[in-house]
């Protein structure tokens, strides 16, 4: 059998011109970097987040840089709001070709054996239920066209436990606890399930598991501990996720579904 190589040049495979993407949690840090990466490849990107001012400011900055971007306010844990916002995006920007389920958080301030169950539930809700609701809403737009890419976002702590000793003596208001780690592990399982369920509809579902990516508010001592913990001995930048998200969103990843890409400088190999 002869397989055509027409249109398989790398530049064309990674080209996303004319496609529409929505990135939840897209106004800051990792979500904003992934949104920029998609837009830089030609995507019309919609930034979604709970804080209206944050996503609108980020979208305006992207437009100032010559990128196609808009913003919507969205609480991913509210089913009615998810349905309404995804419908509005389809009407005003276009049916989704790409969804990045980046919205996630930890609300844990207490830890075993005295962890608070409401903190656990709230953390699971945003990480797992939010991903579940958004993935289904996007899939309903993608299915009639027989194509689409959903990218979920887990964490290295979806596969590995966080070592509480890393946090000793550093200025951290919050750390990875049982709700966050259980939630991110559930995202991995959900990714595989959605890949199986949606594959026959032409929809690919893959996951990115970031390692530690400090923000400007991160404790320098903790950043250094994490640098020494990974195999490459380097500090991650949110821009390091651009390549992975473009791969999974584009035709370059057409033979990938149910996969989990760890972007962690080798943290998980130990």
């Amino acid at each position: 059998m002869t397989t055509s190589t027409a249109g398989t040049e790398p530049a064309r495979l990674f080209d996303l011109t004319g496609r529409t993407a929505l990135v939840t949690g897209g106004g800051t840090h990792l979500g904003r970097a992934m949104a920029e990466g998609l837009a830089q490849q030609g995507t019309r990107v919609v930034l979604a987040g709970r804080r209206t001012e944050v996503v609108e400011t980020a979208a305006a900055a992207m437009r100032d840089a010559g990128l196609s971007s808009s913003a919507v306010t969205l609480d991913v844990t509210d089913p009615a709001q998810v349905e309404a916002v995804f419908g509005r995006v389809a009407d005003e920007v276009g049916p989704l070709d790409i969804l990045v389920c980046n919205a996630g958080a930890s609300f844990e301030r207490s830890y075993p054996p005295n962890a608070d169950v409401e903190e656990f539930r709230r953390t699971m809700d945003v990480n797992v239920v939010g991903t579940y609701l958004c993935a289904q809403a996007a899939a309903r737009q993608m299915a009639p066209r027989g194509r689409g890419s959903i990218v979920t976002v887990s964490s290295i702590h979806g596969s590995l436990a966080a070592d509480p000793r890393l946090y000793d003596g550093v200025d951290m208001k919050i750390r990875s606890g049982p709700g966050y780690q259980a939630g991110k592990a559930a995202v991995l399982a959900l990714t595989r399930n959605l890949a199986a369920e949606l594959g026959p509809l032409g929809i690919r579902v893959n996951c990115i598991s970031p390692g530690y990516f400090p923000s400007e508010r991160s404790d320098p001592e903790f950043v250094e501990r994490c640098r020494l913990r990974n195999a490459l001995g380097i500090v991650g930048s949110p821009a390091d996720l651009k390549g992975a998200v473009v791969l999974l969103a584009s035709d370059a990843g057409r033979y990938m579904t149910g996969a989990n890409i760890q972007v962690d400088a080798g943290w998980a190999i130990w």
Side-chain angles (χ1 to χ4, degrees):
M1 182 179 72
T2 301
T3 302
S4 172
T5 59
T8 59
E9 300 88 350
R12 294 181 64 177
L13 289 174
F14 288 95
D15 183 24
L16 293 169
T17 300
R19 302 189 194 184
T20 301
L22 186 145
V23 180
T24 67
T28 60
H29 203 42
L30 305 186
R32 181 168 176 173
M34 289 188 284
E36 288 176 352
L38 294 172
Q40 287 162 347
Q41 292 302 109
T43 312
R44 297 183 297 268
V45 178
V46 180
L47 309 182
R50 290 182 300 108
R51 295 175 293 170
T52 302
E53 183 178 354
V54 170
V55 289
E56 288 184 346
T57 298
M62 289 176 61
R63 290 194 298 272
D64 289 344
L67 303 174
S68 177
S69 181
S70 57
V72 292
T73 305
L74 176 64
D75 177 355
V76 298
T77 67
D78 183 333
Q81 194 175 133
V82 169
E83 196 65 26
V85 169
F86 275 62
R88 180 158 61 89
V89 169
D91 291 340
E92 297 178 1
V93 185
L96 291 179
D97 301 290
I98 301 158
L99 168 69
V100 180
C101 297
N102 174 69
S106 176
F107 300 99
E108 297 168 289
R109 300 296 189 275
S110 58
Y111 304 95
N114 300 305
D116 180 81
V117 70
E118 292 306 320
E119 293 175 355
F120 182 90
R121 284 189 176 126
R122 189 180 177 198
T123 300
M124 291 288 286
D125 199 29
V126 68
N127 289 291
V128 186
V129 177
T131 297
Y132 169 79
L133 291 173
C134 291
Q136 290 209 104
R140 287 192 287 271
Q141 295 185 20
M142 297 170 178
R145 290 170 291 141
R147 70 176 192 276
S149 175
I150 297 172
V151 180
T152 63
V153 179
S154 179
S155 164
I156 54 170
H157 292 150
S159 302
L160 304 170
D163 185 349
R165 295 170 298 183
L166 273 176
Y167 301 86
D168 287 346
V170 296
D171 182 17
M172 299 284 287
K173 294 183 174 62
I174 194 167
R175 64 174 174 85
S176 177
Y180 183 80
Q181 292 175 55
K184 291 303 186 181
V187 168
L188 289 174
L190 180 60
T191 300
R192 292 188 291 268
N193 172 266
L194 291 172
E197 296 281 356
L198 301 177
L201 302 177
I203 301 168
R204 298 182 296 107
V205 188
N206 294 286
C207 186
I208 296 173
S209 287
Y212 178 64
F213 288 85
S215 71
E216 64 277 0
R217 300 186 303 276
S218 298
D219 185 292
E221 172 61 24
F222 187 70
V223 174
E224 179 63 7
R225 291 180 189 181
C226 291
R227 183 188 72 79
L228 294 174
R229 176 64 177 75
N230 70 57
L232 293 178
I234 60 176
V235 176
S237 162
D240 292 325
L241 294 176
K242 290 183 178 183
V245 76
V246 170
L247 167 64
L248 296 177
S250 69
D251 292 344
R254 66 173 292 274
Y255 203 57
M256 298 177 68
T257 197
N260 176 41
I261 298 179
Q262 292 176 320
V263 185
D264 64 354
W267 185 297
I269 66 174
W270 302 119

